Amino acid sequence: MLDQSYYQMTDEIIGRYGKAPASLIPILQDIQEEYRYLPGELLTYVAGEIGVKEAKAYSVATFYENFSFEQKGKYVIKVCDGTACHVRKSAPVLEALLKELGLSKKKHTTDDMLFTVETVSCLGACGLAPTLMVNEEVHPTMTPEKAIELIQELRGESR
Amino acid sequence: MMMDSKEKILAVREEEIQKLNASDCRILVCSGTGCIATGSHKIYEKFMELVQDTPGIEIEFAPHDSHDEKEEKVSVKKTGCQGVCELGPLVRIQKKDKVIQYTKVQIEDCQEILERSVLEDEVVERLLYKKKGKAYLGPDDIPFIAKQTRIALKNCGKFDAESMGEYLASGGFGAIIKALYEMTPEEVVDAVDKSGIRGRGGGGFPAGRKWKQVARQPEKIRYVVCNGDEGDPGAFMDGSVMEGDPFRLIEGMMLAAYAVSAQNGYIYVRAEYPMSVARLKHAIACMEEAGLLGDHILGTDFSFQLHINRGAGAFVCGEGSALTASIEGNRGMPRVKPPRTVEKGLWEKPTVLNNVETFANIPEIILNGPDWYRGIGTESSPGTKTFSLTGAIENTGLIEVPMGTTLREIIFDIGGGVKEGGTFKAVQIGGPSGGCLTEKHLDVPLDFDSVKKYGAIVGSGGLVVMDEHTCMVEVARFFMSFTQRESCGKCVPCREGTKRMLEILEKIVAGEGEIEDIDRLKELGEMVKSMALCGLGKSAPLPVLSTLREFMDEYVEHIQDKKCRAKVCQSLRRFMINPEFCKGCGKCAKNCPVGAITGVRKEFYHIDTSICIKCNACKDNCAFDAIYIEA
Amino acid sequence: MGIMKIDGRKVEFTDEKNVLSVIRNAGINIPTLCYHSEVSTFGACRLCTVEDDKGRTFASCSEEPRDGMVIYTNSGKVKKYRKLIVELLLAAHCRDCTTCVRSGECTLQELARRLGVTDVRFKNTREERPIDDSSPSIIRDPNKCILCGDCVRACEELQGIGALGFTFRGTDAVVMPAFNKRIADTFCVNCGQCRVFCPTGAISIRSNIDEVWDALADPDVRVVAQVAPAVRVAVGEAFGVEKGRSVMGKIVNGLHRMGFDEVYDTTFAADMTVMEESAEFLERIEKGGPLPLLTSCCPAWVKYVTDQRKEFIPNVSTCRSPQGMMSAAVKEYYRDPQKAAGKKTIMVSIMPCTAKKMEAKRSNSFTKGEQDTDIVITTTELIRMIKNFGLDFSALMPESSDIPFGFGSGGGVLFGVTGGVTEAVLRRLIPEHDKTALDEIAESGVRGDDAVKELTIPYKGMDVKICVVNGLANAARIMDKVKAGEAEYHLIEVMACRRGCIMGGGQPTHAGPRTKAARAHGIYNADNVAIIKKPDENPLLNSLYETLMKGKEHELLHNEFY
Ligand SMILES: Cc1cc2nc3c(=O)[nH]c(=O)nc-3n(C[C@H](O)[C@H](O)[C@H](O)COP(=O)(O)O)c2cc1C
Ligand code: SF4
Ligand code: SF4
Ligand code: SF4
Ligand code: SF4
Ligand code: SF4
Ligand code: SF4
Ligand code: SF4
Ligand code: SF4
Ligand code: FES
Ligand code: FES
Ligand code: FES
């Protein structure tokens, strides 16, 4: 059961876009931004409020990569594996991160809910490949070593 | 300030020009995604701080629009991407008589730049761009920039991306003023049609023809949609325009709306471009406040509202019908055509859907006329095209060149040739939907039609240069894994076909390929290309088919000789110890996680390749460089 | 209007909405897996792809016919590619044809055979998913789903329920309810239309055949069957009988042969429904409401109202459906120990409808707390039983159904088509008995294919406004209008399935427009040949009202709604 505050926040978000089927995606985006994930209950709630069938809302939410029904870590690290980054060796960066954090291609978030590691294809900073993004901040010209340093830095920051 | 008539906007423009001219020195800090990543925000703040605290500087800088402040002498501005992010953070010092381009500026350099280049007329030599011992002073001296022709990227790097005033002063909104007061909508459509501009989003469909079709529809509610989804991984030109010159894009969309009598516009921005969204939102807010968006724009009957939609992470949403589905709140699955977007697009209404770069070109076409535009580029593909140059190349970055420029000019003259003197092998053009061109295609003029003849496409303009260290089979696998992951799953050829193609490619790079796999790849590729529903599927096999055509020997090597000549494919690499260099220290054996290394101390060691998992630990730890990789 | 060239021959076309129809009209049965004329064009299977004279390939289901088109339906290229597509589908498919309930009626299987796919070169790497057997009506096996989306569109566009949707994307895509809920936990109304549209065994009817065989094998059980009107015009399709012909007599014979003790005709109960519902209607008109009266014989519709339109529950007729009335009456009949003769009675209801399986279990239609209808099987299951038993169906001699529940009026038969309930009720209400009066009703607008029909009938000095709807999505639109005060009716007849029960979720699949028309024709024909047309003239019924039913009408023939 979600706390009542979640529904209040959701009502406020719905208010930003209006009760129409076309508001579905922006509403879900704002919820996802607010909680760093999309609680299933809220999806059902939003669907009911804006007049969209639940199955439809679920089908939309699962189509787009950015929606997640699972809670994400405090730092969402998106390692770019776009063409420019791939040819400049982004794979070892990803591997180093996964190894450092004990994650895998199936397990994306650390148990302490600090880090989530995902891949993304292009952050628009291809000239500085390979890149990665921590929440909304882009980090240029990564190497496995720099990535691990970054993790340590972030760990310190969150202490 | 409300600009509700031609007189008003012209008066404001005069003011802005004077303001611009009044400043003795402009410090232009690049604030594109690239430079921000290297820390340009901090540089900007540092300059702001310094400028305020330094006696002798008369400042009144305006980071955002403000028309009532007093004239400034020195101003600090955030500009859009200048295309050479690798050299960032970039700072440009613009004085009345000269421009200095500094690269890789650090916080510590700011004070010196201010003292020597802003207050005095000196140059901080060490921060200039240098190549082969030669230092280049101004941006236009740098060959990478000098050899370009910039229309869509005209303002990027020169003006404040967040200032409507500067856009006005630079001649911005001239086209919409001209259209609204001097041209009928038909004349605008005509001009675009005559200019021959073709869509820059990949398809190359003539924009004028599209607009004409929309204008012709009986339905009166119409939409203008800008495709800013820029999905091609490794391409960032549309993002650069949206964050570097948002007003130009909006002006282009307004011209389209006026031309086809649309009342509403949508910009669909890729999820990973938060800065583009922020700059566009800011631009829209400024324009709404000034009455340049909304009802009765500039006192005319033209009304236009603009909305922003953020993508949510689906490459296929770049496809027109998937994009409109996404705006409508649906799954971004392409639909069958007919009906076409021009007849039934967004909410089943006639819709002009164009790419960011396409729209960004329109203002200049209206201002300078179609003949001027036709004078650039080639007969069938007029104008310029932006490319994102990446991979094994000396100068990576964003460029804009006339259509018809050859690969040789781009790679060698502008790009400075293959990185670290490597040998050119191929260039992948058009991203995951494109194909590869080789040595023999270096002199093919890059325009929509010529490139197509060789099984590739100009596409959105991604150019990845590959040298002998690139494995073509692995490149094909990489692109296939991208399209496979991004397939919406609607149609069978793409959903199931790309999956099988990927499986085969994965098998080959893992050294488990069979010779029949080549035929299977071809068979599947040809089928998917012909049978898929949308462009994603239709083009997904192109990287495979074109590498099969150009680099069949590499495929065969992988399959038959279990060999990767570029030494890229992990599974085909073998770690060996060169007995001549090995001192028998045993450090490698200690570090091997699987105990693949055995030997006698002080003599030599040996790797059992059947146990080795290719982790590289031994090689990293050998102080004598005795371990090498055999492809 | 125009002429195109198909495989070198000139073909004229008029208003066909796509090239596919032109090709089919020209006698070429091009394969399709995702095209149904009644739902939107999806264009996903790509099997209908053809090639034009410029070597361009396009899906014929989604291309408008143009004058002068030149197309090849079987060029070497498209033939090869089509086959590869089917191979790819099979590669990601649980290919247990031998034990698949759909085997022999499966479009995918048929295409594999037709196109000569004899080898599947790719391994099935799709994650295995559990089967959803939560519903009393349908079973979902995602491992057999080819993601054609036909069920999604049927459920959304025709029924307006939207219980199923595409989820995830690419090869991870699955068709399922939100959050992969069990279908029984959604607003699914059990209509089975998804199953009718599904080309494979991914959605199938929940079979109750085994329970019937068990009952038949039990000497202490009296097995009684009732056969709904729409069943008799569809069973023949499976046995080479002319489409749409009523084979009720053969069915009765067949059931007797299989061991059914009594075979009754649901038409009889339909007559009862008419009597009860007309009385209720008149009463509501007199009392002034609640109106409009909503028919209650379609359980899918009733579930829709009770799930999602609760404000209209008081409007729903309290009458049980013909199935429910029949079972209650029969059970009451055998409550008499003399009639029961020491045997337990099991009622097997044979219906065109998957929702009836759910209705039978709906506790508000039980009598004395007991379920009246024990087992519901569909037309499709009946066909399977006949085959299983090995009966040479087409050679069976007709027999008549058993007395006292074996005879219904022509009006009762009409329940099988949309508008039929209304037409029968009108026959009851109008005092005249002659043919002209009946013809007038038939021509009043109740008949025909339209999804929504409105009619105004003068009755005792007032104008009775009636709306006849088929397809739940259409019904939802009408209810919206009623709620908004934009439309006013006295009676609304709703059949969840398009065209009524003849196209029910339990009927044989692959029914195109021709089969549909033939089934409807079969129903009207059965009415034409009926000696008694009006429910109130059914002598068996009248005598039953005087005896068995007397004073128990409410208990046996009505539901409670809360
Ligand atoms: C899979 C796919 C992805 C696409 N992605 C983009 C994109 O990111 N940006 C874009 O402008 N066009 C993209 N397109 C092309 C658009 O469908 C469309 O042709 C284009 O936006 C029209 O604008 P233009 O005529 O100005 O190029 C894509 C097409 C396909 C099939
Ligand atoms: S080609 Fe691929 S992306 Fe396009 S509709 Fe088919 S499955 Fe979807
Ligand atoms: S670490 Fe190098 S030198 Fe030492 S034993 Fe291994 S190969 Fe030989
Ligand atoms: S590469 Fe790794 S596994 Fe192989 S020999 Fe060296 S240390 Fe051992
Ligand atoms: S669904 Fe069709 S193809 Fe699949 S197992 Fe059943 S009969 Fe065979
Ligand atoms: S058709 Fe073939 S696979 Fe099926 S049961 Fe007969 S022999 Fe076996
Ligand atoms: S049975 Fe009817 S309501 Fe239920 S999922 Fe199927 S089509 Fe939808
Ligand atoms: S369940 Fe059947 S109709 Fe629905 S998508 Fe799957 S195969 Fe198609
Ligand atoms: S219309 Fe008939 S077959 Fe369809 S759900 Fe209703 S009762 Fe069943
Ligand atoms: S490819 Fe990595 S930032 Fe563009
Ligand atoms: S962001 Fe500064 S040059 Fe690209
Ligand atoms: S029937 Fe035309 S694509 Fe499926």
Side-chain angles (χ1 to χ4, degrees), chain B residues 125 129-136:
Chain B
E125 194 70 35
Y129 173 74
K130 289 185 206 75
K131 194 92 205 185
K132 297 197 178 109
K134 189 169 177 311
Y136 298 86

Side-chain angles (χ1 to χ4, degrees), chain B residues 68 100 107 247 303 570 591:
Chain B
D68 36 18
I100 309 169
I107 302 263
F247 296 99
S303 301
Q570 280 276 347
N591 278 290

Side-chain angles (χ1 to χ4, degrees), chain A residues 39-41 43-44 53-56 58-60 62-65 69, chain C residues 156 160-169 176-181:
Chain A
E41 296 93 322
L43 179 79
T44 306
K53 303 243 159 53
E54 191 191 19
K56 158 90 180 289
Y58 185 73
S59 90
V60 170
T62 52
F63 184 84
Y64 297 98
E65 214 156 289
F69 291 111
Chain C
E156 170 73 40
I161 300 294
L164 295 168
F166 275 99
T167 59
F168 303 97
R169 70 171 186 231
M176 63 186 188
F179 301 104
N180 199 15
K181 282 188 203 172

Side-chain angles (χ1 to χ4, degrees), chain B residues 35 55 75 132 153 206 364 383 449 529 571 601 608:
Chain B
C35 286
S75 54
K132 297 197 178 109
L153 301 176
E364 295 295 313
D449 306 313
K529 192 174 109 182
S571 316
R601 255 183 132 24
D608 183 342

Side-chain angles (χ1 to χ4, degrees), chain C residues 285-517:
Chain C
I285 288 203
E286 257 163 47
K287 279 204 203 146
L291 288 170
L293 177 67
L294 308 177
T295 57
S296 60
C297 42
C298 170
W301 156 241
V302 171
K303 183 163 192 287
Y304 169 68
V305 175
T306 49
D307 276 356
Q308 300 194 53
R309 308 299 288 244
K310 295 193 165 56
E311 71 273 24
F312 286 112
I313 291 177
N315 295 62
V316 178
S317 161
T318 60
C319 292
R320 291 186 192 172
S321 70
Q323 165 179 284
M325 290 190 179
M326 175 66 100
S327 301
V330 169
K331 286 285 174 81
E332 183 65 19
Y333 183 77
Y334 287 107
R335 267 194 194 102
D336 177 348
Q338 218 176 335
K339 301 227 170 61
K343 283 193 177 184
K344 185 181 165 204
T345 300
I346 285 199
M347 168 53 88
V348 177
S349 164
I350 305 174
M351 295 282 138
C353 174
T354 49
K356 292 283 172 188
K357 291 178 187 260
M358 168 271 290
E359 186 195 76
K361 297 198 159 93
R362 211 174 66 200
S363 59
N364 70 339
S365 62
F366 289 1
T367 309
K368 302 186 203 297
E370 281 172 29
Q371 183 173 333
D372 296 323
T373 313
D374 300 289
I375 308 170
V376 180
I377 60 166
T378 57
T379 313
T380 306
E381 290 161 273
L382 173 62
I383 293 169
R384 286 186 199 140
M385 285 183 71
I386 296 171
K387 289 186 174 164
N388 182 319
F389 202 86
L391 286 174
D392 180 358
F393 186 80
S394 59
L396 290 176
M397 292 303 288
E399 277 176 16
S400 50
S401 346
D402 297 304
I403 301 300
F405 306 101
F407 177 82
S409 73
V413 178
L414 294 180
F415 270 58
V417 283
T418 171
V421 179
T422 304
E423 188 165 349
V425 167
L426 290 175
R427 286 188 187 177
R428 160 86 182 105
L429 293 180
I430 305 283
E432 292 82 14
H433 286 200
D434 54 294
K435 184 166 181 311
T436 357
L438 292 184
D439 285 350
E440 261 173 37
I441 298 174
E443 278 150 29
S444 65
V446 275
R447 296 194 177 184
D449 250 348
D450 292 347
V452 179
K453 291 168 283 190
E454 291 177 304
L455 38 144
T456 307
I457 304 286
Y459 179 75
K460 289 193 178 163
M462 67 178 286
D463 280 341
V464 178
K465 288 197 196 138
I466 303 175
C467 181
V468 175
V469 199
N470 66 75
L472 272 187
N474 301 318
R477 279 189 279 273
I478 294 294
M479 296 323 289
D480 286 344
K481 276 194 182 170
V482 169
K483 192 171 178 189
E486 289 161 19
E488 215 176 294
Y489 305 106
H490 297 98
L491 174 68
I492 302 178
E493 176 204 302
V494 180
M495 288 290 158
C497 303
R498 66 234 148 100
R499 245 324 198 158
C501 305
I502 49 167
M503 298 302 280
Q507 296 282 70
T509 50
H510 298 300
R514 262 176 291 230
T515 308
K516 187 166 68 170

